Amino acid sequence: MSIGQFRIFFHPTKSRVVPPIATMAANLGRICGSKLLGTSGVVGFQQAKQLSTARAWTNGQKKLIASVGAVAGGLGALLFALESSVEASGTEVHPPAMPWSHRGIISSLDHQSIRRGYEVYKQVCSACHSMRYIAYRNLVGVSHTEAEAKAEAEEIMVRDGPDDTGNYYTRPGKLSDYFPSPYPNEEAARAANNGAYPPDLSYIVSARKGGEDYVFSLLTGYYDAPAGVVLRDGQYFNPYFPGGAISMSQVLYNEVIEYSDGTPPTTSQLAKDVATFLKWTSEPEHDDRKQLTIKAFGILAFLGVIAYYIKRHKWSTLKSRKIVFTPKDK
Amino acid sequence: MKAIYNTLFKRTSTYAVGIMASVFFFERAFEVGSTTLFESVNKGKLWKDIKGKYE
């Protein structure tokens, strides 16, 4: 038995959103609540309850969902608490965040600094630390021209072979050769350093908590051991090093080397430059990544505008329609 | 608006050609624009800014 008739009117202007007029809102209000098709954007608790699919859940499902939520929340809180407690325990000092010029979202590395950092690595660090995964060709177009990188490579002697007669020989380095290691293997490195192994520096900034801040703070953070700290022979006190006792002595001092570009070689300048260099060796894709950030945000903003327009366009007919109920007998 | 519709969007053939042509110009403009932004923000720090000293 029919008691009346629904009629739906669409506003003639399809591509624009027209807010519902008062009489239309009144009619809608009788059917499904005045705010449902409104433009206020706020859905009240009652409306949310009407729209929710949770009404169809059984009691058992509700209890299951509630316990899953409680367990997940509890685990999250536990993990957060554990992480915080790890931050607070331990005796090492956490490195402060330095104002690196590459810190910004689209800031590139300072390539002049990378070049100076290579000089520091070559003249100071490479005496004990290897850099097995960096080749001379990697320097080209980053800190050195091709001719300069070739000249750098030719300074080292590389064991190569076998030749036509089956013998091994040494030759000057080429662009494709990797940086030479100071020790032939880990055992030799430990034997020469009181049992401590100088780590390979290729990816050290990614491999240490605190990254380049840690490297900088460690290199500039040598102090006399406070009372109560016992150091063995060949150990030095550095509060940034976990445990405090480090087997590397302080190596960077004012004017320990001379920069070819004339920059005053103070301790902090040397540490900053070598930390920038190590940042580059750890993340050689750094500059490309920052450049891609610009492109990604640009494209996403562009697509976001289009998506917003299409949403408004598709919803314009829904938002501008009028639903009228006419009872059969008045 | 009508002129654009009649010349480009009406036929699939012209629509496809229009898309390909506008993609070319959009990609060039976007690429050059973002690279210019990156290089102007980081002026003086990039290799292209300092390589003149070493060649």
Side-chain angles (χ1 to χ4, degrees), chain A residues 302-318:
Chain A
F302 182 65
L303 294 181
V305 168
I306 292 179
Y308 181 67
Y309 173 78
I310 290 176
K311 185 262 167 191
R312 299 271 291 185
H313 182 70
K314 295 285 181 194
W315 277 72
S316 60
T317 49
L318 287 176

Side-chain angles (χ1 to χ4, degrees), chain B residues 31-54:
Chain B
E31 175 77 24
V32 170
S34 57
T35 307
T36 311
L37 174 66
F38 182 75
E39 285 173 358
S40 66
V41 166
N42 297 304
K43 195 159 181 57
K45 294 199 291 176
L46 299 169
W47 171 245
K48 71 183 270 288
D49 298 328
I50 61 168
K51 73 174 173 186
K53 287 191 257 178
Y54 304 110

Side-chain angles (χ1 to χ4, degrees), chain A residues 101-102 106-112 115 141-145 148 287 290-291 294-295 298-299 302, chain B residues 26-27 30-39 41-48 50-51 53-55:
Chain A
S101 71
H102 58 259
I106 57 170
S107 305
S108 75
L109 289 166
D110 184 350
H111 286 244
Q112 189 74 62
R115 189 183 168 99
V142 174
S143 59
H144 292 70
T145 63
E148 285 174 324
D287 287 2
K290 296 276 173 86
Q291 201 168 351
I294 300 176
K295 290 184 193 168
I299 284 286
F302 182 65
Chain B
F26 175 79
E27 195 276 341
F30 189 73
E31 175 77 24
V32 170
S34 57
T35 307
T36 311
L37 174 66
F38 182 75
E39 285 173 358
V41 166
N42 297 304
K43 195 159 181 57
K45 294 199 291 176
L46 299 169
W47 171 245
K48 71 183 270 288
I50 61 168
K51 73 174 173 186
K53 287 191 257 178
Y54 304 110
E55 282 174 341

Side-chain angles (χ1 to χ4, degrees), chain A:
Chain A
M1 191 187 83
S2 150
I3 55 160
Q5 182 184 26
F6 282 107
R7 281 184 297 162
I8 300 176
F9 301 96
F10 289 101
H11 196 277
T13 315
K14 289 211 299 184
S15 60
R16 276 175 50 220
V17 176
V18 179
I21 52 173
T23 52
M24 195 177 112
N27 281 322
L28 280 174
R30 277 184 221 116
I31 299 161
C32 56
S34 60
K35 280 188 181 150
L36 195 58
L37 291 179
T39 51
S40 68
V42 180
V43 179
F45 181 67
Q46 282 299 321
Q47 277 82 36
K49 217 175 167 188
Q50 297 281 316
L51 291 168
S52 168
T53 54
R55 274 186 303 168
W57 292 352
T58 65
N59 262 347
Q61 279 175 312
K62 282 178 183 167
K63 278 175 189 158
L64 181 68
I65 296 281
S67 30
V68 166
V71 168
L75 278 179
L78 180 68
L79 285 176
F80 179 75
L82 284 175
E83 175 66 14
S84 303
S85 70
V86 170
E87 284 286 326
S89 68
T91 52
E92 75 269 20
V93 177
H94 296 283
M98 298 295 174
W100 299 99
S101 71
H102 58 259
R103 179 132 281 179
I105 267 187
I106 57 170
S107 305
S108 75
L109 289 166
D110 184 350
H111 286 244
Q112 189 74 62
S113 188
I114 295 176
R115 189 183 168 99
R116 289 193 299 266
Y118 169 72
E119 291 177 18
V120 180
Y121 168 75
K122 184 185 162 192
Q123 297 179 44
V124 182
C125 315
S126 68
C128 297
H129 289 278
S130 60
M131 201 172 244
R132 247 176 294 161
Y133 301 103
I134 309 298
Y136 286 97
R137 61 185 163 80
N138 297 131
L139 298 175
V140 178
V142 174
S143 59
H144 292 70
T145 63
E146 190 173 335
E148 285 174 324
K150 269 183 184 156
E152 290 290 329
E154 278 163 9
E155 287 178 16
I156 65 163
M157 294 304 283
V158 180
R159 187 164 183 267
D160 203 353
D163 61 8
D164 292 345
T165 52
N167 296 316
Y168 286 86
Y169 57 94
T170 55
R171 56 161 175 80
K174 297 186 288 192
L175 275 184
S176 55
D177 286 315
Y178 287 81
F179 286 5
S181 298
Y183 305 107
N185 49 53
E186 184 179 336
E187 285 75 9
R190 285 191 188 281
N193 290 287
N194 280 333
Y197 176 51
D200 187 89
L201 293 185
S202 308
Y203 296 108
I204 202 73
V205 165
S206 300
R208 291 291 179 272
K209 193 166 186 235
E212 62 270 40
D213 289 326
Y214 169 77
V215 173
F216 179 88
S217 296
L218 189 85
L219 291 174
T220 55
Y222 284 87
Y223 299 97
D224 293 333
V229 174
V230 183
L231 298 172
R232 285 181 291 167
D233 267 358
Q235 286 193 325
Y236 306 86
F237 181 73
N238 193 318
Y240 296 99
F241 190 72
I246 187 169
S247 293
M248 179 175 86
S249 65
Q250 181 171 0
V251 286
L252 297 184
Y253 295 97
N254 289 340
E255 287 158 28
V256 70
I257 66 165
E258 220 164 84
Y259 279 133
S260 60
D261 66 358
T263 306
T266 59
T267 307
S268 55
Q269 180 74 46
L270 294 163
K272 175 244 172 189
D273 288 336
V274 81
T276 306
F277 174 67
L278 294 174
K279 174 78 173 174
W280 169 71
T281 60
S282 294
E283 297 176 23
E285 83 294 349
H286 179 279
D287 287 2
D288 290 337
R289 205 179 65 218
K290 296 276 173 86
Q291 201 168 351
L292 211 51
T293 305
I294 300 176
K295 290 184 193 168
F297 276 96
I299 284 286
L300 283 177
F302 182 65
L303 294 181
V305 168
I306 292 179
Y308 181 67
Y309 173 78
I310 290 176
K311 185 262 167 191
R312 299 271 291 185
H313 182 70
K314 295 285 181 194
W315 277 72
S316 60
T317 49
L318 287 176
K319 285 200 165 188
S320 58
R321 72 183 175 172
K322 219 196 269 195
I323 303 173
V324 178
F325 176 68
T326 319
K328 208 172 191 181
D329 44 339
K330 287 216 164 166

